[in-house]
Amino acid sequence: MSRGPSASLSRALCRAAEGAGTQVEIVTADATDWTSATFVGARHHIRLIAPASVALDSWLALLPMADIVVPGHVVAEISLVRSQAASHLPVEIGLSALTLAA
């Protein structure tokens, strides 16, 4: 996995999922620079896959309120963009996040 806030956020999400009793795998993770009048950061788009489980459902439900730690950055926002499951396939998950440089 590469370096930078997108890779750090991806690792943090994997750790958070594991702490919630589920496993996720990052399929893709990219980021674009983001700025406002007072902040500098990045908008992230992350695609994950995971085995369907009650633990995964719970983790996804609580993720927008979770305290995801990314060294040197603040996760200002994280949201579920989409989640799609087929009975015999892993769940495909799309996340969007905004990190701000600390």
Side-chain angles (χ1 to χ4, degrees):
M1 189 175 291
S2 63
R3 297 178 189 220
S6 194
S8 296
L9 177 58
S10 295
R11 287 190 296 272
L13 287 168
C14 289
R15 284 191 304 271
E18 188 174 305
T22 190
Q23 297 273 329
V24 297
E25 179 183 335
I26 305 298
V27 177
T28 60
D30 59 65
T32 55
D33 292 339
W34 178 94
T35 58
S36 73
T38 54
F39 297 105
V40 174
R43 173 63 66 185
H44 304 265
H45 301 282
I46 300 170
R47 195 164 63 95
L48 315 139
I49 57 171
S53 69
V54 172
L56 176 65
D57 293 342
S58 296
W59 180 68
L60 290 173
L62 296 173
L63 189 58
M65 297 162 283
D67 184 21
I68 305 296
V69 178
V70 178
H73 300 272
V74 174
V75 179
E77 172 187 295
I78 190 161
S79 59
L80 180 66
V81 177
R82 64 176 168 72
S83 179
Q84 184 176 14
S87 61
H88 62 286
L89 298 174
V91 179
E92 294 182 17
I93 304 153
L95 299 176
S96 176
L98 175 64
T99 57
L100 305 175

